Amino acid sequence: MRQPGAGRQLRGAATAIVNRSIPDVCATCHIHATCQQSGGKSVCICNYGFVGNGRTHCQDKDECQIGASKICGNHTLCHNTHGSFYCVCLDGYRASNNNKTFIPNDGTNCTDIDECEESGLCGRNARCVNTEGSYMCYCNDGYKLETGEHSFHQDGNIVSCKEIGCGSPPEMKHGYIVGNYSLLPGSAVHYECQEGFYSNEGKFSYCTANETWEPATLSCKGVDCGVPPSVLNARPSSVSGTTYRSEVTYECAHGYLMAGGSHTAVCNAKGQWDGPDLVCKEIDCGKPLLIPHTTMTWDNSTTLWSRVYYHCKEGYYFNGDRNFSECTVDQSWENITYVCKEEELLSNLSIFNETCVRWQRKTGRLGVQETYTFHILGQRLDEKIFSEDVIFNISTSEDNPKVCLDLNSGSNYVVNITTISSTNITVSVTLAIQTKVKEAFNNVLIFNDTCLKWRRNVRGTDVEDRYSFHVQGQRWYQKNFFHEMTFELSTHKQAPEVCLDLQPGTNYSINISMVALNFSLLVSMTTEITDPPFPEVEFVAVKGSAPLLRLRKAEDQNGPISFYQVIVLPLDLQSTFICDSFAATTFFSNTTDMKGYVAAEFRAKDVADNMSITLGDRHYYGKFYNAPLKLGEEYCVFLKIISEWNKVRTQSCAVWAQIKNLSPPLQYMTAVGLGSVAAVCLILFLSFSVARSCLHSSVHPPPAAVACEAVHLSTTVHVAQAGIASSFLEAESVSLL
């Protein structure tokens, strides 16, 4: 690395000449780059298989990313290596040059293997040799049986020769394989470290006789460039590390600025810092600027933050922000508004009684007759151009002159006073004449919810006034909501009106200002909520069973959404349903004859998006009971969204589901079945008991034996009927639980 000051020679005793040598471009080429001549200049170009700028980096080019079929041909696999690549044929194909690997620069391609021809009698990877009265099979070169033998006799069992080899060579951390290699015993694989790593140990691994790779002792270590180089008049501002491709960024020291070169050094693959060639030059602002009518106090320093002081010459006075200038980081003296003005003939100009001005004459002009020119420019407070322009002169010898002006109310004035002398000095003063009114407008009324009107008090219809509106709206139930707008209105009407574009369900404060008279009023307004958005439902139409419904949460854009209601109606009443109905409906019970009911009510804050609802689960939701649906009935289900605010209630409804031919659930069918079995068993038991009684009485037959049989049959029938009725009653009871 070139050291600071290298290449300098001293000629003579008084003159030092700096001789900078031309850098050797070829010496800076990357390890994987070649120096070539182009247009009479030396250029570093990355070698084949590498890409980069040729100096700081040349990284491996992955040829295989193009695609195996494009670079290697059909039926191939592509394997990338550091700086190169190689191709192999897929199973069932072989290279036309009969090698395992190839690079497709000599026309080599992969052709299909004819297994019948190759295998024949002895199978794949084997050849048949005739012997006297028989034959022998021999494994081809590079193949053997699993037993290790190379010859065999095919006896009907399929025997295959397997390839001899060590398999894929081991991976090497931060290393790569150089060139082609063979998998046969005795062959070697050559490793090299990746860019930015180095090793002084063994770089080869050998395929042993037992078909395993001998471990390589290669250990690739990352290069370390060590402490970053120092740069004259600069310091490191950030250091990412000292390993390969780490960067150090430099900045010029205080009082210096960048004059050329790069401010970054990069750790290269050789463990050396590339760059920087930053040149930091000391800040020099040069000679400071001259300001008229001033003298300077300065130590002749022109470096950073050097300071020069200015002083007004005799006969002039200071008028500015400060009397010094400093040398800044952009190598210039900072601008100052330092002005030395000639001594004026009047001073201490002031205003009294709103329309009068007075001033004091300088000592040197006391008792001398002086003429003053007044130039008055006036404009109304609500206008941007001057509408009055008056010029007049006065002469006086008073030491403290006073002048009262005839000015109009509600206007601004600029009064320029000039002394008629050799200096023609002008002094300006601004006057604002306010209109003295108790109230500029009143009787502000609200109509049509969002409109305002008022009455002007102090100005006639021939004068047009400008009003400024500042509107702010908030919602207590929606903390992140804020509506604000400002606009102006110009009108000459005695009773102006304005309608505002306001959001529903919002509290507004409206500040109305009359610009010309500097008067304002604050009006409060509350807008009513409007109908909530229609429910977003996925309509469901089913037969035989109650569906599982999913509720989607709506956005409260038109006011606060308060409740969600689930309403169940008989299907034949769907067309007559009014969304405002069920305002005071109590919960459904199995003792009422109501045609419809509210099955559930949810507070909006408790509703989660995509919330599931099961009809008839016998739970209370709010103050409403989710009653079971009756078998055989047909229902229509509505979803209602309710908004309530400031004693106003609005709602929107949507049809959610239709249920036709409601069939009994599984527990209902089970109850009916069990009831029927119980009835049959009871009939058989009673029949057996009566029959036994009659048989006993047949030994001593009673007078009414025939009646016994009749009673038996009658009892059987009644009991059977009672059992069946009992089973259905039980089933109905189960369905209502």
Short mmCIF file of all heavy atoms in Angstrom, two decimals, residues 180-199:
data_model
loop_
_atom_site.label_atom_id
_atom_site.label_comp_id
_atom_site.label_asym_id
_atom_site.label_seq_id
_atom_site.Cartn_x
_atom_site.Cartn_y
_atom_site.Cartn_z
N ASN A 180 -12.38 -30.94 -13.11
CA ASN A 180 -13.14 -32.19 -13.11
C ASN A 180 -12.50 -33.20 -12.17
O ASN A 180 -11.35 -33.08 -11.77
CB ASN A 180 -13.21 -32.76 -14.53
CG ASN A 180 -13.94 -31.81 -15.47
OD1 ASN A 180 -14.79 -31.05 -15.04
ND2 ASN A 180 -13.59 -31.85 -16.75
N TYR A 181 -13.25 -34.23 -11.85
CA TYR A 181 -12.73 -35.28 -10.98
C TYR A 181 -13.43 -36.59 -11.30
O TYR A 181 -14.48 -36.62 -11.94
CB TYR A 181 -12.93 -34.91 -9.51
CG TYR A 181 -14.38 -34.72 -9.12
CD1 TYR A 181 -15.16 -35.78 -8.69
CD2 TYR A 181 -14.97 -33.45 -9.20
CE1 TYR A 181 -16.48 -35.59 -8.35
CE2 TYR A 181 -16.29 -33.27 -8.87
CZ TYR A 181 -17.04 -34.34 -8.43
OH TYR A 181 -18.34 -34.16 -8.10
N SER A 182 -12.81 -37.70 -10.87
CA SER A 182 -13.36 -39.03 -11.07
C SER A 182 -13.78 -39.61 -9.74
O SER A 182 -13.25 -39.23 -8.68
CB SER A 182 -12.30 -39.96 -11.72
OG SER A 182 -12.76 -41.29 -11.75
N LEU A 183 -14.75 -40.55 -9.78
CA LEU A 183 -15.24 -41.19 -8.55
C LEU A 183 -14.56 -42.53 -8.31
O LEU A 183 -14.90 -43.22 -7.34
CB LEU A 183 -16.75 -41.38 -8.62
CG LEU A 183 -17.59 -40.12 -8.87
CD1 LEU A 183 -19.07 -40.47 -8.93
CD2 LEU A 183 -17.34 -39.09 -7.79
N LEU A 184 -13.61 -42.92 -9.18
CA LEU A 184 -12.96 -44.23 -9.05
C LEU A 184 -11.90 -44.19 -7.96
O LEU A 184 -11.32 -43.14 -7.66
CB LEU A 184 -12.32 -44.61 -10.39
CG LEU A 184 -13.29 -44.80 -11.56
CD1 LEU A 184 -12.52 -45.09 -12.83
CD2 LEU A 184 -14.28 -45.92 -11.26
N PRO A 185 -11.65 -45.33 -7.30
CA PRO A 185 -10.61 -45.38 -6.27
C PRO A 185 -9.27 -44.91 -6.84
O PRO A 185 -8.91 -45.21 -7.98
CB PRO A 185 -10.60 -46.86 -5.87
CG PRO A 185 -11.98 -47.33 -6.17
CD PRO A 185 -12.40 -46.63 -7.41
N GLY A 186 -8.55 -44.20 -6.03
CA GLY A 186 -7.27 -43.66 -6.44
C GLY A 186 -7.34 -42.26 -7.02
O GLY A 186 -6.31 -41.60 -7.16
N SER A 187 -8.54 -41.81 -7.38
CA SER A 187 -8.66 -40.47 -7.95
C SER A 187 -8.68 -39.43 -6.81
O SER A 187 -8.91 -39.76 -5.65
CB SER A 187 -9.94 -40.35 -8.78
OG SER A 187 -11.08 -40.59 -7.97
N ALA A 188 -8.41 -38.18 -7.19
CA ALA A 188 -8.31 -37.11 -6.19
C ALA A 188 -9.21 -35.95 -6.60
O ALA A 188 -9.48 -35.72 -7.78
CB ALA A 188 -6.87 -36.64 -6.05
N VAL A 189 -9.66 -35.23 -5.57
CA VAL A 189 -10.44 -34.01 -5.76
C VAL A 189 -9.62 -32.84 -5.23
O VAL A 189 -9.11 -32.90 -4.09
CB VAL A 189 -11.80 -34.09 -5.03
CG1 VAL A 189 -12.51 -32.74 -5.12
CG2 VAL A 189 -12.66 -35.17 -5.65
N HIS A 190 -9.51 -31.79 -6.03
CA HIS A 190 -8.71 -30.63 -5.67
C HIS A 190 -9.63 -29.53 -5.15
O HIS A 190 -10.56 -29.10 -5.84
CB HIS A 190 -7.93 -30.13 -6.89
CG HIS A 190 -7.06 -28.94 -6.58
ND1 HIS A 190 -6.55 -28.13 -7.57
CD2 HIS A 190 -6.62 -28.42 -5.41
CE1 HIS A 190 -5.84 -27.16 -7.02
NE2 HIS A 190 -5.88 -27.33 -5.69
N TYR A 191 -9.38 -29.04 -3.94
CA TYR A 191 -10.16 -27.98 -3.32
C TYR A 191 -9.37 -26.67 -3.29
O TYR A 191 -8.14 -26.68 -3.19
CB TYR A 191 -10.53 -28.34 -1.87
CG TYR A 191 -11.48 -29.49 -1.74
CD1 TYR A 191 -11.02 -30.79 -1.56
CD2 TYR A 191 -12.86 -29.29 -1.77
CE1 TYR A 191 -11.89 -31.86 -1.42
CE2 TYR A 191 -13.74 -30.34 -1.63
CZ TYR A 191 -13.25 -31.63 -1.45
OH TYR A 191 -14.11 -32.67 -1.31
N GLU A 192 -10.09 -25.58 -3.39
CA GLU A 192 -9.52 -24.26 -3.17
C GLU A 192 -10.50 -23.46 -2.30
O GLU A 192 -11.70 -23.71 -2.31
CB GLU A 192 -9.28 -23.51 -4.49
CG GLU A 192 -8.11 -24.04 -5.30
CD GLU A 192 -6.76 -23.75 -4.67
OE1 GLU A 192 -6.73 -22.92 -3.71
OE2 GLU A 192 -5.75 -24.33 -5.09
N CYS A 193 -9.95 -22.50 -1.56
CA CYS A 193 -10.80 -21.66 -0.72
C CYS A 193 -11.54 -20.62 -1.57
O CYS A 193 -11.03 -20.16 -2.59
CB CYS A 193 -9.97 -20.94 0.35
SG CYS A 193 -9.29 -22.04 1.60
N GLN A 194 -12.73 -20.28 -1.13
CA GLN A 194 -13.51 -19.26 -1.81
C GLN A 194 -12.82 -17.90 -1.66
O GLN A 194 -11.94 -17.72 -0.83
CB GLN A 194 -14.92 -19.18 -1.23
CG GLN A 194 -15.75 -20.41 -1.48
CD GLN A 194 -17.12 -20.32 -0.82
OE1 GLN A 194 -17.39 -19.38 -0.11
NE2 GLN A 194 -17.95 -21.33 -1.07
N GLU A 195 -13.27 -16.97 -2.47
CA GLU A 195 -12.71 -15.63 -2.44
C GLU A 195 -12.91 -15.03 -1.06
O GLU A 195 -14.00 -15.09 -0.48
CB GLU A 195 -13.40 -14.76 -3.50
CG GLU A 195 -12.76 -13.41 -3.68
CD GLU A 195 -13.43 -12.64 -4.81
OE1 GLU A 195 -14.66 -12.67 -4.89
OE2 GLU A 195 -12.70 -12.03 -5.59
N GLY A 196 -11.84 -14.46 -0.52
CA GLY A 196 -11.90 -13.89 0.81
C GLY A 196 -11.49 -14.86 1.90
O GLY A 196 -11.53 -14.51 3.08
N PHE A 197 -11.07 -16.09 1.53
CA PHE A 197 -10.62 -17.08 2.49
C PHE A 197 -9.28 -17.66 2.01
O PHE A 197 -8.96 -17.63 0.81
CB PHE A 197 -11.65 -18.21 2.64
CG PHE A 197 -12.94 -17.75 3.24
CD1 PHE A 197 -13.95 -17.20 2.45
CD2 PHE A 197 -13.16 -17.86 4.60
CE1 PHE A 197 -15.14 -16.77 3.00
CE2 PHE A 197 -14.35 -17.44 5.16
CZ PHE A 197 -15.33 -16.89 4.36
N TYR A 198 -8.49 -18.23 2.94
CA TYR A 198 -7.20 -18.78 2.58
C TYR A 198 -6.93 -20.00 3.45
O TYR A 198 -7.53 -20.21 4.50
CB TYR A 198 -6.10 -17.73 2.78
CG TYR A 198 -5.82 -17.43 4.23
CD1 TYR A 198 -4.78 -18.08 4.93
CD2 TYR A 198 -6.60 -16.49 4.93
CE1 TYR A 198 -4.55 -17.80 6.26
CE2 TYR A 198 -6.36 -16.22 6.26
CZ TYR A 198 -5.33 -16.87 6.93
OH TYR A 198 -5.10 -16.62 8.24
N SER A 199 -5.97 -20.84 2.98
CA SER A 199 -5.56 -22.02 3.75
C SER A 199 -4.15 -22.41 3.33
O SER A 199 -3.79 -22.34 2.15
CB SER A 199 -6.52 -23.19 3.50
OG SER A 199 -6.06 -24.36 4.16
#
